[in-house]
Amino acid sequence: MTDTDTMLSTTRHLAQGHSVPSVALPSFVDFNLREEVQESTQIPNNGSAPLLVDVRVFVSTVFNVDILRYTVSSKLLLRLFWLDPRLAWNVSEHPQHAVTLSLDSLWTPGLTIQEALWVDWQGQSPRARVDQDGHVELYLALTTETTCDFDLLRFPRDQSDCSLSFYAFSNTVKELKFRAHVVNEIVSIKREYVVKDLKTQVPPKQLVPCFQVTLRLQNTALKAIIALLVPGEALLLADMCGGLLPLRVTDRIAYKVTLLLGYFVFHSSLVQTLPSSSSCNPLLIYYFTVLLLLLFISTVETVLVAALLARGDIRAKSSPSPGPRGEQRDHGNPVPNPEEASRGVKGSRRSRTEAADHIFFLVYVAGVVCSQFIFAGLWIWVPCKSAPPPGESAPHGGKPRL
């Protein structure tokens, strides 16, 4: 190696240890050297094949899953590894086996998360480690909030796949290629949503290099079952028990109306708790609406039956009184007492009303039981068939593909 080559190599490594704009090269250095220093921030040339960047994604935590806003917050650590032959050096001339360089002095893939609402790249000035063969190793820690299309049809036993798509928009697929792996480092399970599976993939036929990390989130459902299903089923059971009260009890209407008003309050708070969607709304929304209709029908039936009984009592009291005492009667064919006749009519009317109420109670209980089985069948066998997103259904929409 000549003196000029030694000076070239030494100056190049000094320049790579700082930001390129701030490097002040000696005046006697050739202009070609200045160009080589600036070229170190360009993507390495790998011939006809694209540069392969090995990416390992460490998922440390998923700390916030907001189904009302359709967002997921997570913390990740990215390890990027690639080969840049321009950064290699001769160990016999420079005994160091590895150096750390700032990101301004070498090329790095600029990553953008497509689904991110915001990204906080932690670390003020991350540095890359370069060995004597030109292998570059870079660690990037980030916290991000991303959008996710939750599948909430079976909420609160829902399970959804949330994706984080990393794009390198500054390069093309002919220049750069990713090979991604994912590692689950989540140690905390004391959350409503838990990560059941992690996987990575490189989507084919993309205009720009990218890789995708998919998190499979599952709802533990304990909070929703205690707060939603238990109160709803308790109100429905209390309403069926109210049907066992006799019609002569005047508090039966008050009991039914109180249950209905209480369920109205519960339903209004339920609407704010459950998420809504343009398609595949949670089955619980329809289930609790059916419960509301059942309670309403039961209350209306109680009011109508009570009204019929009250009207019969009023007619019995307003019936004509018995005839005068001096009226001659046929002793051979005695005329029935009008008071006794009115009592018989009143009793028969009341018995028919009570029989109708009993039949309604049996039909109501059968309808409640059938609704539970129908809901269970829908929960098990009905799939979620959502409409395609506008970007894929539009004639000229969709993601850019080759």
Side-chain angles (χ1 to χ4, degrees), residues 277-327:
S277 174
S278 58
S279 59
C280 294
N281 283 292
L283 289 175
L284 282 185
I285 294 180
Y286 306 101
Y287 175 72
F288 286 114
T289 303
V290 170
L291 291 188
L292 178 61
L293 294 176
L294 290 175
L295 289 175
F296 176 77
I297 293 173
S298 176
T299 305
V300 170
E301 185 271 341
T302 301
V303 173
L304 293 178
V305 170
L308 290 177
L309 290 179
R311 181 172 298 181
D313 293 339
I314 294 175
R315 288 181 178 177
K317 292 180 180 179
S318 61
S319 59
S321 59
R325 294 181 180 180
E327 184 179 353

Side-chain angles (χ1 to χ4, degrees), residues 11-259:
T11 309
R12 180 184 302 165
H13 284 85
L14 291 175
Q16 291 170 354
H18 302 82
S19 177
V20 172
S22 62
V23 173
L25 298 178
S27 59
F28 58 84
V29 178
D30 188 11
F31 179 75
N32 293 330
L33 175 60
R34 299 174 184 268
E35 292 182 351
E36 290 184 13
V37 172
Q38 293 179 357
E39 287 178 359
S40 64
T41 59
Q42 302 297 321
I43 184 172
N45 187 4
N46 199 29
S48 59
L51 176 66
L52 180 62
V53 176
D54 186 83
V55 183
R56 191 170 296 271
V57 183
F58 300 88
V59 181
S60 58
T61 181
V62 177
F63 59 90
N64 186 22
V65 178
D66 192 342
I67 59 176
L68 297 180
R69 296 177 57 239
Y70 285 84
T71 58
V72 178
S73 300
S74 56
K75 287 187 176 182
L76 309 175
L77 176 64
L78 304 181
R79 175 190 175 273
L80 293 86
F81 186 82
W82 69 93
L83 175 62
D84 191 346
R86 299 171 303 178
L87 303 179
W89 69 86
N90 191 350
V91 181
S92 60
E93 297 291 338
H94 303 281
Q96 288 182 317
H97 293 278
V99 294
T100 57
L101 304 178
S102 64
L103 300 188
D104 294 333
S105 59
L106 75 162
W107 174 87
T108 57
L111 297 177
T112 302
I113 303 179
Q114 183 184 31
E115 298 85 0
L117 299 178
W118 55 264
V119 180
D120 181 16
W121 296 93
Q122 301 175 3
Q124 297 297 328
S125 56
R127 302 177 68 86
R129 184 181 183 274
V130 184
D131 63 11
Q132 71 272 13
D133 297 326
H135 294 101
V136 184
E137 186 178 26
L138 175 63
Y139 286 90
L140 297 174
L142 63 114
T143 303
T144 180
E145 184 180 24
T146 56
T147 59
C148 179
D149 293 331
F150 292 107
D151 183 5
L152 299 174
L153 180 69
R154 290 172 175 82
F155 177 86
R157 294 297 299 174
D158 55 291
Q159 182 173 282
S160 304
D161 292 338
C162 300
S163 299
L164 287 81
S165 303
F166 293 82
Y167 284 84
F169 290 111
S170 58
N171 301 105
T172 65
V173 293
K174 296 182 179 180
E175 299 174 334
L176 180 62
K177 179 181 179 181
F178 289 109
R179 182 175 59 191
H181 312 275
V182 64
V183 179
N184 190 347
E185 290 192 341
I186 300 176
V187 296
S188 176
I189 59 174
K190 296 181 180 180
R191 300 188 184 278
E192 184 178 0
Y193 278 85
V194 295
V195 179
K196 302 298 293 184
D197 188 23
L198 292 172
K199 62 180 180 180
T200 58
Q201 64 173 346
V202 177
K205 298 182 180 180
Q206 297 290 331
L207 291 177
V208 294
C210 67
F211 65 94
Q212 192 175 73
V213 179
T214 302
L215 294 79
R216 175 159 294 180
L217 302 176
Q218 184 174 352
N219 195 347
T220 56
L222 181 60
K223 176 182 176 182
I225 289 176
I226 296 176
L228 301 178
L229 291 179
V230 173
E233 295 294 334
L235 284 174
L236 187 62
L237 181 61
D239 182 71
M240 289 190 296
C241 293
L244 299 175
L245 295 175
L247 290 174
R248 296 179 180 86
V249 179
T250 58
D251 294 338
R252 179 174 172 180
I253 297 180
Y255 179 82
K256 292 279 189 175
V257 172
T258 302
L259 285 179

